[in-house]
Amino acid sequence: MASDSQIEINENSYKIPDFTRNSSSQRSISSIQSIQSKTSVREVGFSSELGSKPIKYGSRGADSRGLSTSYKEINDEDARLVYVNDPVRTNDKFELAGNSIRTAKYSILTFLPRNLFEQFHRVAYIYFLVIAILNQLPQLAVFGREASILPLAFVLFVTAVKDAYEDYRRHRSDKIENNRLAWVLSNEKFEQKKWKNICVGEIIKVSGNETLPCDMVLLSTSDATGVAYVQTTNLDGESNLKTRYAKQETQMRNPQEEKISGLIKCEKPNRNIYGFQANMDIDGKRISLGPSNIILRGCELKNTDWAIGVAVYAGKETKAMLNNSGAPSKRSRLESRMNREIIYLSIFLVTLCTIVCICHGVWLRRHNDELDLMQFYRKKDYSEPEVENYEYYGWGMEIFFVFLMALNINEDLGQIKYVFSDKTGTLTENKMEFQCASIGGVDYDNGKASTEDDRIGHSIQADGMVLKPKMTVKLDSELLNLSKRKHTDDGRHVRDFFMALAACNTIVPLTVETSDPAVKLIEYQGESPDEQALVYAAATYGFMLIERTSGHIVIDIQGERQRFNVLGLHEFDSERKRMSVILGCPDNTVKLFVKGADTSMFSVIDKSSNSNMVKATEAHLNSYSSKGLRTLVIGMRELSASEFEQWQSSYESASTAVMGRAGLLRKVANNIENHLNSLGASGIEDKLQQGVPEAIESLRMAGIKVWVLTGDKQETAISIGYSSKLLTSKMTQIVINNNSKDSCKKSLEDALLLCKKLTTVSDATRGGPGAGIGQLALIIDGTSLVYILDTELEEQLFELASRCTVVLCCRVAPLQKAGIVALIKHRTDDMTLAIGDGANDVSMIQKADVGIGISGQEGRQAVMASDFAMGQFRFLVPLLLVHGHWNYQRMSYMILYNFYRNAVFVLVLFWYVLFTSFTLTTAITDWSSVLYSVIYTSLPTIVVGVLDKDLSRATLLKYPQLYGAGQRSESYNGKLFWVMILDTLWQSVVAFFVPFLAYWESDVDGSSLGDLWTIAVVVMVNIHLAMDVIRWYWITHAAIWGSIIATFICVMIIDAVPILPGYWAFFHIADTKLFWVCLLGITVGALVPHFAVKFVQYYRPNNIQIAREAEKFGNSRESPDAQIEMNPIFDPPHRSGG
Amino acid sequence: MSSGDGSSEPSSKISKISKKPRYSRFTQQELPACKPILTPGLVITILISLAIIFIPIGLSSISASENVVELVDRYDDVCIPSNSSNHDEKIGFIQDAATNKTCFRTWIVPKKMNHPIFVYYQLDNFYQNHRRYVKSRSDHQLWSPKSERATKLCEPEAQNDDDKPIVPCGLIAWSLFNDTYRFSRNDDAIEINKKDIAWGSDRTKKFGSDVYPKNFQTRGLIGGAKLNESIPLSQQEDLIVWMRTAALPSFRKLYGRIETDLEANDKITIEIQNNYNTYSFNGRKKLVISTTTWIGGKNDFLGRMYMTVGGTSLFFAIAFSILFVIKPR
């Protein structure tokens, strides 16, 4: 019923003398009409599709599209019936949720199974558990029984305790929330009741600044016209006030005195916070209800003394709770990769075990009859000898520990392909600032230095109180002086200009107490931040809007309070792109003030009278917009009495029209908005955060697609797109702005066609400078997304979006943001990152692979839900380009390296097993096997994994293209993995067989040879790492060489224990030259292929290699190379569009 | 995977000043560093120096291996009666305590052998590294008489039929090699020095001087040699050598040293007591005498490997140099 209510306001506004009676009668007429023709229901359908703030589109043209929209009646089976003030009956038929909420995951009973179930999602744990269970069988025990269970149990326990504590806190906050009190009507009067006991159907009274306990349909408010203001920060992150309306039929009633009963038939609970459809049968009349008649749980009532409503959705069925997707346990890409690695590892080990099992089985079979006599085998009971083979799992266990160390989500930062960004507070500072004005053809730029005193701005004294605007703008002293001259021509012009700023808007002024009781601040609340900025500017120049009711406004003009009657208001709509207000001034003149976008204004401005001035204004406008300012042109006209009457009658008939009311209203507006005198233009800066355009430029160069998802309206989003360099004038814009599934489908298909055409065109011109023209920008709004997400159209949208360089989504609900992220996430393997600052970004942040919270003005929710927190958007660039890159390079190398170093060791053990009649003897002592991952090779891994940098910060920031290495998975991919496997095989073969052949048929004993193998593998593995280290710090040296020395020392210590079989073996073997010759031979022989691969890398350099060399040798020789090599990344078609 | 803790590095850059961590070059990763880069010059230098190191070592180890004089004689197949051709007859022969197992072999020394000449017995296909085998010992028992009952791992040779602990217990000791050799040159006996054939460290720290063999080889199945119960384990050097289990299934064990030079064309007669049963598992027994050099015994493998690596390095060094002259990057 949005547009309906809107009109009602308008009706109210011009019938000043007796508006209450008059308007209510009109209203009831219109309501009756709507019942008869059911048009209003249709319009409800339309306006709910429009989005959250139908008030904006009051006179928006609904005729063409509205008519095509089919009539929507709520089916009985899809409906929920709420008997007003009769909760018993309401809850009788349906199982409706109570109002108690539950965000906690577990209860005492379910905690253990659920928590364990969640924890065992990690394959590693299962793997670990299997090993631990195997270890419980006496025949298979490698370690002690307890020892094998303890680590797993410890990890599980710690995680469980952490989860339990978090859940306990959730329980507690749930309890607090559920026990809050609300005034609920029972037995003809309002009584306090706990939130959790509120039932659907009950009538609830909420006072100002209170939070709403559930979703309710407004019945009446303290305001005579039935207006209530709510703040929806918790829902959509917007901090301005939104207007909601009580229906006139219920407005005047006091439920305490007069029993209200009725039936509300509404939709089933859903997540759409901007949509609501219902009918209310009351007193035999049927009224339709729209999104402007419902106030949602989590909102705060502001600027309204009280509001009475009937609960329609409660508890977990409220839109707020449905939009709270809970805190999903985010599984990082790395974690799933680790799961995969562990599965590989298990397969690897099981394969080795199987090979050994089979070999051993064959060996036993062949020697079956000899076993009893064999000196080295003899055993009375030799059933099931194969089971010993499971001891391989012991090795697996060691390897597992190492893999855990590599765990870190940071690696994901290096592979981001999509950045989903919130706009408000993320890209912008969420502060509009009036910058400059062109009045009467003269440019008043605040740049002309103003003194500090001027900044104090205007304040007024009233009843011993000082009223000040909350924010001031920089004052232009010349302009200020001019505005005080009432009687000059220029002065009048300026005064009219500021009058227009102060009056032509929908801003609601609020007074705010300050610490000084004598001073009060005036805060302007409104849906459009531009208007806020303009009103603040006017206030600073002494035109202070003090009061607004539906019928009049009070403006303090330089100390003199004046009351203006608001005779008419034509709301902003995107077709006219302007709004106008008709004021009845104290001097009994009627004035029309219009403000709007320059394109729409110049067509209605009377250029003949003052063409020079218009031209000058136009020139100023161009210079403003080139500075990235948002411009508005302001015009006015004095209306003659006849003109006014003519308008009034047509306005009345238009606003009571049954069919195509919005179109008629627009026509009325168009008729009156002409022959305007241009007053001037304003330039408002939507302050982008520092460095945002540069950041976006860098991200784009890095091949990252930036999507902006915002709750703002389309025009705002686009203008921010331009000022943040997200959109450029070269781009072709595709706008999808539909309100039915079919039209969405059609526009998607059209867009895809266009897009293909453009791609082919740009393909044709490829290589030329025109390549960039093919860039596409997709602009889509939340309403269209409703029809696209979760339907088969998703696929098309994805295809389209992946072809576009830039995607702007406006008017999106929190969960839609998550839906868009999911759209990308489910269809590609590309990494996604979401960044935002408000509570409305939480779901998106949780959905994306990496979530970043900006700790801004909109509270902490985003930060709490995020993986990383930062102060400003621009820090995203170093985070991704520098740290993300480093982490990616380090982690991907470390994953390969860790696999390699463990596999080499296991393979050396494995080769030996082939020569022990497959019985899993290890020549390497047990101690060395354990210490291998703990001491011998772990420290260098950590140090290099933490400290190594392939490129310096400066280089990475200078060449964002280098980030592409991560997106293309250059450092970890299938090819590298298999190359690494081959290298591992080769190295293990060398490490094993060189000593094997050198000591074949000699008198060497197992322990000595084992020591040689241990040391050879450790030296080899560490030098392998050393060859790959890019930056040598002293710590790196210490770690790598220190580890080798530590290995020698450890081996010596182990061999100095007399009770071990290998006593003194190392000292014996190290005493022979053969040992050292073998060691040198192994190290060099094993690493030759690795060296060769590195050399090939040099010969066929990638970007990183080139940049490294450029860094090292300066730009003298290498940089031209670098440029040439890097160029291809600029080319958009190289992006693997999905 | 949650925030804060994991993100110390980025957040340190961006958090508010109040939360700014103390600056240190380590946490900010600004330590001084050197950044070596592979350049053609460096690569070629490395390859050439590898060649320079490896080729001489390879040559010298080949020549060292050439200088080793080694005589190997397999005798298990000839030191049994020619009539016992099949498997069971061989085993029957070797297990029969009554048969005469003496066997004579004659060698001609091909080259002069300088003392000390090492006498080894070599067993092939004998898995001294079998898992069950290597574990079947008790190091505690070997060192201290107090631990003589520490025979947990020694099954089935832990206790005799009277439940008395066997010292030394376990399969390793039980299967002690018991062939003996007597060398003579032109009817003059050549003395074989069996002193100091075991590691000094084993004799002093591993095998107790107050531990005497007990209940050894008293049960039905005889695995190998018997031990003199009046000599402490620390002096049973054959046992100590045997207990150092070999790494590989083809191994040699030091039998003794010949402290005189053997001239070329000397005719040496060896009297072998062929006692040890290798027939049951198709093992082979060989008698080896060999001199040693710095590289150990006769083994060409290492020398060849070094030559290969050195040669490859040289080849690549040259190839890369040419590549760089012809087709620089």
Side-chain angles (χ1 to χ4, degrees):
Chain A
M1 209 54 215
S3 45
D4 203 0
S5 331
Q6 171 53 43
I7 294 149
E8 283 160 18
I9 284 290
N10 297 345
E11 289 159 8
N12 297 338
S13 33
Y14 66 92
K15 288 282 178 192
I16 306 133
D18 51 355
F19 77 91
T20 320
R21 183 165 49 82
N22 199 346
S23 71
S24 67
S25 67
Q26 275 185 359
R27 201 189 315 264
S28 41
I29 292 165
S30 83
S31 298
I32 291 163
Q33 281 170 341
S34 72
I35 293 162
Q36 287 161 350
S37 66
K38 298 194 173 167
T39 9
S40 73
V41 178
R42 190 199 68 218
E43 287 198 4
V44 165
F46 171 66
S47 52
S48 70
E49 286 148 19
L50 259 184
S52 63
K53 299 153 205 159
I55 185 152
K56 283 230 153 149
Y57 305 97
S59 47
R60 178 173 183 158
D63 48 356
S64 55
R65 281 189 278 174
L67 280 171
S68 64
T69 316
S70 61
Y71 162 70
K72 281 194 181 166
E73 175 65 272
I74 305 161
N75 291 329
D76 273 352
E77 55 268 27
D78 295 337
R80 154 179 286 201
L81 296 174
V82 178
Y83 297 94
V84 177
N85 202 13
D86 196 350
V88 181
R89 191 162 162 214
T90 307
N91 289 286
D92 187 34
K93 256 203 237 159
F94 301 95
E95 286 192 13
L96 302 180
N99 199 37
S100 69
I101 53 154
R102 182 181 154 82
T103 55
K105 268 191 198 161
Y106 315 110
S107 71
I108 289 174
L109 270 180
T110 60
F111 177 75
L112 204 63
R114 271 193 75 176
N115 186 266
L116 283 180
F117 177 76
E118 273 175 28
Q119 289 202 43
F120 274 106
H121 269 108
R122 293 188 174 187
V123 175
Y125 286 1
I126 294 176
Y127 174 75
F128 219 164
L129 184 73
V130 168
I131 289 172
I133 289 172
L134 283 176
N135 217 18
Q136 299 310 301
L137 305 174
Q139 296 95 326
L140 311 181
V142 187
F143 305 113
R145 288 185 192 190
E146 299 80 15
S148 63
I149 277 289
L150 264 180
L152 178 65
F154 180 74
V155 173
L156 289 177
F157 178 75
V158 169
T159 319
V161 165
K162 194 198 87 195
D163 287 351
Y165 178 68
E166 282 177 0
D167 212 52
Y168 167 72
R169 289 180 43 170
R170 270 187 229 121
H171 268 291
R172 244 184 18 189
S173 71
D174 283 356
K175 201 172 164 190
I176 292 169
E177 185 90 353
N178 284 332
N179 287 327
R180 286 170 75 167
L181 295 173
W183 292 96
V184 176
L185 185 74
S186 68
N187 306 327
E188 312 290 303
K189 60 178 193 280
F190 285 106
E191 283 175 354
Q192 287 212 318
K193 201 169 175 183
K194 284 182 179 169
W195 278 24
K196 62 179 172 190
N197 297 327
I198 293 174
C199 304
V200 173
E202 285 183 323
I203 290 181
I204 297 157
K205 182 177 181 177
V206 183
S207 311
N209 296 330
E210 273 184 9
T211 310
L212 298 167
C214 57
D215 294 357
M216 47 198 221
V217 168
L218 268 179
L219 293 178
S220 62
T221 72
S222 56
D223 187 281
T225 51
V227 179
Y229 297 95
V230 289
Q231 195 171 35
T232 55
T233 317
N234 285 337
L235 281 177
D236 60 7
E238 293 188 32
S239 53
N240 51 36
L241 294 187
K242 298 199 173 57
T243 30
R244 293 289 181 264
Y245 304 94
K247 281 287 164 187
Q248 205 57 40
E249 284 72 14
T250 55
Q251 167 63 20
M252 283 304 117
R253 303 205 189 169
N254 186 342
Q256 274 170 285
E257 295 158 8
E258 167 187 10
K259 193 169 160 65
I260 298 181
S261 59
L263 172 64
I264 295 175
K265 192 170 169 190
C266 57
E267 304 169 295
K268 284 261 149 57
N270 60 45
R271 285 169 166 177
N272 186 358
I273 60 169
Y274 297 131
F276 176 67
Q277 276 189 56
N279 301 319
M280 176 156 65
D281 287 319
I282 191 161
D283 302 339
K285 284 187 288 187
R286 172 175 270 197
I287 316 163
S288 49
L289 303 169
S292 66
N293 303 115
I294 186 168
I295 46 179
L296 305 178
R297 180 184 181 126
C299 297
E300 263 182 71
L301 194 67
K302 292 277 185 191
N303 211 21
T304 313
D305 289 340
W306 51 262
I308 290 173
V310 55
V312 286
Y313 304 123
K316 61 174 192 282
E317 292 175 344
T318 57
K319 291 181 188 283
M321 293 306 290
L322 288 171
N323 261 297
N324 177 357
S325 49
S329 15
K330 187 180 277 186
R331 197 141 319 144
S332 79
R333 169 74 49 100
L334 195 78
E335 194 175 335
S336 45
R337 177 184 291 166
M338 196 193 73
N339 283 348
R340 209 173 61 208
E341 303 284 350
I342 284 174
I343 291 170
Y344 284 165
L345 202 71
S346 314
I347 293 172
F348 176 64
L349 289 174
V350 169
T351 313
L352 291 188
C353 293
T354 316
I355 293 172
V356 173
C357 275
I358 293 169
C359 292
H360 192 55
V362 169
W363 188 87
L364 280 176
R365 201 178 186 84
R366 278 181 35 198
H367 299 269
N368 203 11
D369 42 347
E370 314 160 2
L371 287 178
D372 208 20
L373 289 171
M374 219 175 257
Q375 282 91 331
F376 51 84
Y377 186 84
R378 213 190 110 203
K379 192 192 179 191
K380 282 170 187 159
D381 170 27
Y382 42 86
S383 58
E384 294 182 292
E386 278 115 308
V387 289
E388 290 168 27
N389 292 326
Y390 284 108
E391 294 205 4
Y392 261 113
Y393 281 109
W395 305 344
M397 213 142 159
E398 290 152 27
I399 293 158
F400 170 76
F401 282 114
V402 182
F403 267 87
L404 271 188
M405 292 196 296
L407 250 187
N408 205 327
I409 196 175
N410 296 347
E411 174 252 11
D412 285 0
L413 289 174
Q415 286 186 289
I416 302 295
K417 248 192 169 157
Y418 290 92
V419 168
F420 297 94
S421 171
D422 180 32
K423 184 193 76 74
T424 322
T426 305
L427 295 180
T428 66
E429 284 182 0
N430 205 7
K431 260 194 268 174
M432 299 283 178
E433 206 168 278
F434 179 81
Q435 279 291 327
C436 45
S438 154
I439 305 172
V442 185
D443 183 12
Y444 298 97
D445 194 335
N446 297 342
K448 291 170 202 162
S450 50
T451 59
E452 271 302 303
D453 299 341
D454 293 335
R455 282 231 60 159
I456 296 166
H458 185 72
S459 62
I460 52 167
Q461 311 251 326
D463 314 327
M465 295 282 241
V466 179
L467 277 174
K468 273 185 180 173
K470 195 180 170 200
M471 282 188 291
T472 57
V473 295
K474 279 184 279 176
L475 277 176
D476 188 305
S477 48
E478 194 187 333
L479 189 58
L480 186 65
N481 291 335
L482 213 52
S483 72
K484 284 176 180 158
R485 273 178 244 153
K486 282 187 192 173
H487 303 295
T488 65
D489 244 14
D490 282 350
R492 207 173 302 134
H493 212 105
V494 170
R495 289 172 72 87
D496 281 341
F497 179 79
F498 284 117
M499 260 304 295
L501 294 193
C504 187
N505 52 51
T506 52
I507 294 291
V508 183
L510 295 178
T511 44
V512 185
E513 307 275 339
T514 59
S515 51
D516 181 359
V519 178
K520 280 192 175 171
L521 289 181
I522 289 200
E523 191 182 332
Y524 293 118
Q525 281 283 1
E527 292 183 36
S528 155
D530 299 68
E531 287 187 347
Q532 275 174 296
L534 290 177
V535 178
Y536 277 120
T540 319
Y541 281 100
F543 293 77
M544 198 183 284
L545 179 68
I546 293 184
E547 195 184 327
R548 171 184 292 274
T549 66
S550 17
H552 68 274
I553 53 175
V554 175
I555 298 178
D556 182 290
I557 301 176
Q558 288 167 344
E560 185 187 335
R561 269 190 196 216
Q562 296 197 15
R563 183 183 155 114
F564 297 85
N565 294 323
V566 180
L567 302 175
L569 187 78
H570 290 283
E571 284 274 346
F572 183 88
D573 75 52
S574 53
E575 222 155 294
R576 271 161 59 236
K577 293 207 175 85
R578 56 182 179 251
M579 73 165 288
S580 56
V581 59
I582 296 170
L583 292 185
C585 301
D587 55 358
N588 284 329
T589 54
V590 178
K591 281 181 181 165
L592 168 75
F593 291 96
V594 187
K595 82 173 195 300
D598 43 5
T599 47
S600 75
M601 285 298 286
F602 280 120
S603 62
V604 294
I605 277 176
D606 186 11
K607 286 178 192 145
S608 56
S609 61
N610 200 346
S611 61
N612 282 344
M613 191 194 97
V614 174
K615 270 191 192 132
T617 312
E618 257 179 285
H620 294 149
L621 278 174
N622 285 338
S623 80
Y624 292 169
S625 51
S626 68
K627 277 189 262 177
L629 300 179
R630 300 149 69 95
T631 55
L632 285 171
V633 176
I634 290 132
M636 72 159 284
R637 182 155 71 104
E638 214 162 295
L639 298 180
S640 66
S642 63
E643 250 181 323
F644 174 66
E645 271 163 32
Q646 197 191 333
W647 168 81
Q648 198 171 21
S649 62
S650 55
Y651 183 80
E652 261 178 65
S653 62
S655 52
T656 51
V658 174
M659 299 288 283
R661 183 188 303 161
L664 287 172
L665 278 172
R666 192 165 63 232
K667 218 164 148 193
V668 173
N670 276 331
N671 281 338
I672 193 87
E673 291 165 350
N674 52 30
H675 300 295
L676 301 171
N677 297 321
S678 161
L679 286 175
S682 64
I684 300 166
E685 188 178 10
D686 182 4
K687 283 199 91 168
L688 281 180
Q689 286 188 2
Q690 203 187 344
V692 165
E694 293 82 357
I696 286 181
E697 188 66 27
S698 287
L699 292 180
R700 181 161 334 138
M701 294 241 291
I704 300 170
K705 292 185 181 181
V706 181
W707 291 35
V708 173
L709 314 177
T710 171
D712 273 338
K713 60 179 200 258
Q714 195 163 317
E715 288 77 13
T716 323
I718 291 175
S719 81
I720 285 296
Y722 279 113
S723 58
S724 63
K725 302 235 173 78
L726 195 62
L727 294 169
T728 59
S729 49
K730 274 196 220 159
M731 289 177 178
T732 316
Q733 290 185 10
I734 300 173
V735 180
I736 295 183
N737 209 336
N738 297 310
N739 46 42
S740 78
K741 197 167 170 182
D742 292 337
S743 56
C744 273
K745 193 172 174 188
K746 192 166 177 307
S747 30
L748 278 175
E749 278 162 2
D750 289 351
L752 270 172
L753 269 175
L754 172 75
C755 170
K756 276 177 191 144
K757 213 165 70 193
L758 275 170
T759 327
T760 46
V761 168
S762 67
D763 270 336
T765 60
R766 168 80 15 82
I773 292 172
Q775 289 192 329
L776 288 165
L778 174 68
I779 295 139
I780 189 163
D781 69 349
T783 318
S784 314
L785 285 173
V786 168
Y787 296 101
I788 294 173
L789 293 180
D790 295 323
T791 66
E792 69 278 3
L793 293 178
E794 261 191 5
E795 198 61 53
Q796 281 177 309
L797 176 67
F798 171 72
E799 201 185 324
L800 178 63
S802 54
R803 283 165 190 267
C804 294
T805 329
V806 174
V807 179
L808 271 178
C809 304
C810 351
R811 286 250 171 271
V812 286
L815 218 64
Q816 280 181 331
K817 291 189 179 185
I820 293 162
V821 175
L823 177 79
I824 297 301
K825 225 177 125 179
H826 292 160
R827 281 180 176 72
T828 64
D829 281 339
D830 298 336
M831 302 293 295
T832 53
L833 177 147
I835 178 166
D837 69 329
N840 55 334
D841 303 317
V842 167
S843 58
M844 164 171 92
I845 286 171
Q846 284 171 340
K847 191 83 191 175
D849 293 310
V850 180
I852 295 187
I854 289 194
S855 43
Q857 299 155 342
E858 292 190 27
R860 299 278 303 162
Q861 282 107 316
V863 172
M864 304 298 275
S866 64
D867 304 307
F868 299 92
M870 52 170 71
Q872 284 192 17
F873 183 78
R874 67 191 158 109
F875 297 126
L876 193 59
V877 173
L879 178 70
L880 293 184
L881 297 193
V882 179
H883 298 283
H885 177 88
W886 283 342
N887 279 320
Y888 171 70
Q889 296 289 340
R890 288 168 186 165
M891 284 303 152
S892 43
Y893 178 72
M894 278 305 140
I895 286 176
L896 287 177
Y897 177 75
N898 276 323
F899 194 94
Y900 149 81
R901 93 184 147 102
N902 288 294
V904 161
F905 192 71
V906 170
L907 280 171
V908 166
L909 296 175
F910 175 72
W911 302 135
Y912 185 61
V913 166
L914 300 183
F915 298 95
T916 62
S917 73
F918 318 106
T919 55
L920 294 153
T921 319
T922 56
I924 296 170
T925 59
D926 296 347
W927 281 101
S928 281
S929 325
V930 172
L931 293 180
Y932 178 76
S933 357
V934 181
I935 294 181
Y936 300 172
T937 59
S938 69
L939 199 62
T941 319
I942 295 167
V943 167
V944 174
V946 168
L947 286 181
D948 203 25
K949 298 177 190 173
D950 54 346
L951 291 164
S952 73
R953 163 185 294 270
T955 313
L956 286 170
L957 287 175
K958 194 170 162 197
Y959 302 109
Q961 300 92 315
L962 292 169
Y963 189 75
Q967 293 166 331
R968 291 190 296 272
S969 299
E970 267 179 18
S971 304
Y972 182 92
N973 53 38
K975 197 179 128 210
L976 271 179
F977 183 79
W978 290 110
V979 166
M980 187 272 303
I981 292 277
L982 284 182
D983 195 25
T984 308
L985 272 177
W986 165 255
Q987 295 197 17
S988 68
V989 164
V990 170
F992 176 78
F993 283 99
V994 166
F996 177 84
L997 291 171
Y999 284 97
W1000 184 250
E1001 293 191 333
S1002 76
D1003 62 342
V1004 75
D1005 65 295
S1007 312
S1008 305
L1009 204 55
D1011 289 342
L1012 173 55
W1013 275 321
T1014 310
I1015 285 174
V1017 169
V1018 170
V1019 169
M1020 185 175 82
V1021 158
N1022 277 314
I1023 290 185
H1024 177 108
L1025 180 67
M1027 285 169 73
D1028 292 336
V1029 169
I1030 293 161
R1031 258 166 218 244
W1032 285 90
Y1033 304 95
W1034 66 264
I1035 298 178
T1036 322
H1037 281 289
I1040 291 180
W1041 313 125
S1043 287
I1044 293 177
I1045 293 167
T1047 308
F1048 276 95
I1049 293 172
C1050 285
V1051 169
M1052 284 180 201
I1053 292 172
I1054 291 165
D1055 279 356
V1057 178
I1059 217 65
L1060 293 179
Y1063 177 64
W1064 223 246
F1066 176 73
F1067 300 95
H1068 280 278
I1069 194 167
D1071 204 25
T1072 63
K1073 294 193 184 67
L1074 187 60
F1075 172 84
W1076 299 100
V1077 173
C1078 274
L1079 196 59
L1080 180 66
I1082 291 167
T1083 315
V1084 174
L1087 294 174
V1088 161
H1090 188 63
F1091 191 70
V1093 168
K1094 289 197 81 66
F1095 183 73
V1096 171
Q1097 267 171 18
Y1098 168 79
Y1099 210 70
R1100 289 204 183 146
N1102 57 14
N1103 291 334
I1104 292 170
Q1105 175 78 14
I1106 294 165
R1108 266 176 65 193
E1109 288 174 25
E1111 207 171 83
K1112 170 111 178 172
F1113 302 114
N1115 293 337
S1116 54
R1117 187 171 57 87
E1118 303 290 346
S1119 58
D1121 259 2
Q1123 287 305 320
I1124 293 160
E1125 287 285 338
M1126 283 177 192
N1127 269 342
I1129 308 162
F1130 281 114
D1131 252 352
H1134 278 256
R1135 284 174 286 111
S1136 57
Chain B
M1 292 298 97
S2 79
S3 64
D5 42 21
S7 63
S8 62
E9 186 190 285
S11 68
S12 67
K13 298 265 179 238
I14 58 184
S15 61
K16 287 171 201 150
I17 293 153
S18 58
K19 289 183 191 166
K20 198 169 180 176
R22 206 166 51 82
Y23 175 85
S24 85
R25 294 175 87 176
F26 178 75
T27 54
Q28 293 299 308
Q29 307 209 335
E30 287 165 10
L31 294 168
C34 110
K35 301 174 273 183
I37 276 186
L38 278 184
T39 58
L42 189 62
V43 170
I44 291 165
T45 317
I46 291 173
L47 287 175
I48 288 179
S49 40
L50 280 182
I52 290 173
I53 297 168
F54 270 61
I55 292 175
I57 296 179
L59 286 175
S60 67
S61 52
I62 285 178
S63 82
S65 175
E66 287 299 313
N67 287 337
V68 171
V69 185
E70 186 185 78
L71 292 172
V72 183
D73 183 37
R74 180 177 172 189
Y75 63 87
D76 63 282
D77 50 348
V78 289
C79 287
I80 47 168
S82 47
N83 56 5
S84 53
S85 53
N86 72 33
H87 193 78
D88 291 338
E89 280 172 349
K90 286 178 189 168
I91 294 173
F93 163 77
I94 203 82
Q95 283 183 331
D96 187 349
T99 52
N100 178 13
K101 302 197 181 70
T102 313
C103 169
F104 290 93
R105 306 288 295 158
T106 311
W107 295 354
I108 308 292
V109 178
K111 263 166 83 180
K112 180 165 192 251
M113 297 173 85
N114 292 322
H115 77 271
I117 301 161
F118 294 88
V119 180
Y120 302 99
Y121 52 89
Q122 177 177 338
L123 292 172
D124 290 348
N125 203 19
F126 188 108
Y127 286 90
Q128 246 201 336
N129 55 15
H130 194 285
R131 182 180 178 80
R132 189 186 305 288
Y133 187 82
V134 287
K135 293 204 162 185
S136 184
R137 63 189 284 161
S138 168
D139 289 297
H140 291 276
Q141 192 198 44
L142 295 175
W143 174 241
S144 158
K146 286 178 216 145
S147 310
E148 68 175 31
R149 285 216 158 261
T151 58
K152 206 173 112 200
L153 294 167
C154 292
E155 285 296 339
E157 286 296 325
Q159 286 155 349
N160 70 0
D161 301 330
D162 308 328
D163 285 344
K164 297 253 177 64
I166 298 171
V167 182
C169 73
L171 286 179
I172 307 181
W174 172 77
S175 62
L176 175 60
F177 189 75
N178 60 352
D179 285 6
T180 55
Y181 314 105
R182 198 170 294 151
F183 284 67
S184 55
R185 175 168 55 182
N186 309 326
D187 297 334
D188 293 338
I190 303 173
E191 196 187 333
I192 300 177
N193 182 2
K194 287 183 73 77
K195 274 265 173 269
D196 287 349
I197 56 172
W199 292 359
S201 54
D202 280 353
R203 274 179 282 142
T204 52
K205 287 281 168 54
K206 215 162 166 51
F207 290 80
S209 54
D210 50 354
V211 182
Y212 294 89
K214 263 184 214 161
N215 308 318
F216 189 68
Q217 294 294 24
T218 53
R219 300 173 67 198
L221 193 60
I222 305 295
K226 295 189 170 155
L227 293 174
N228 185 341
E229 300 206 348
S230 59
I231 301 173
L233 290 185
S234 61
Q235 290 172 35
Q236 306 263 12
E237 293 208 38
D238 278 325
L239 176 76
I240 298 174
V241 168
W242 183 253
M243 296 280 286
R244 275 259 147 226
T245 53
L248 303 170
S250 237
F251 63 92
R252 291 174 184 178
K253 291 273 175 207
L254 190 58
Y255 182 78
R257 267 182 237 97
I258 296 173
E259 302 285 4
T260 55
D261 293 352
L262 296 179
E263 301 299 328
N265 298 321
D266 273 356
K267 189 178 172 192
I268 295 170
T269 311
I270 304 126
E271 182 192 338
I272 299 171
Q273 290 297 325
N274 182 19
N275 297 324
Y276 198 68
N277 179 5
T278 54
Y279 305 101
S280 61
F281 55 90
N282 292 325
R284 288 182 293 275
K285 289 190 285 193
K286 288 171 187 166
L287 177 62
V288 180
I289 61 171
S290 169
T291 57
T292 60
T293 58
W294 66 268
I295 195 87
K298 198 170 189 65
N299 193 326
D300 291 341
F301 168 76
L302 265 186
R304 292 200 196 117
M305 189 196 84
Y306 266 72
M307 293 302 288
T308 316
V309 172
T312 317
S313 303
L314 196 61
F315 170 77
F316 277 114
I318 295 165
F320 286 159
S321 313
I322 293 169
L323 191 66
F324 268 99
V325 173
I326 296 171
K327 189 176 167 253
R329 189 173 75 179

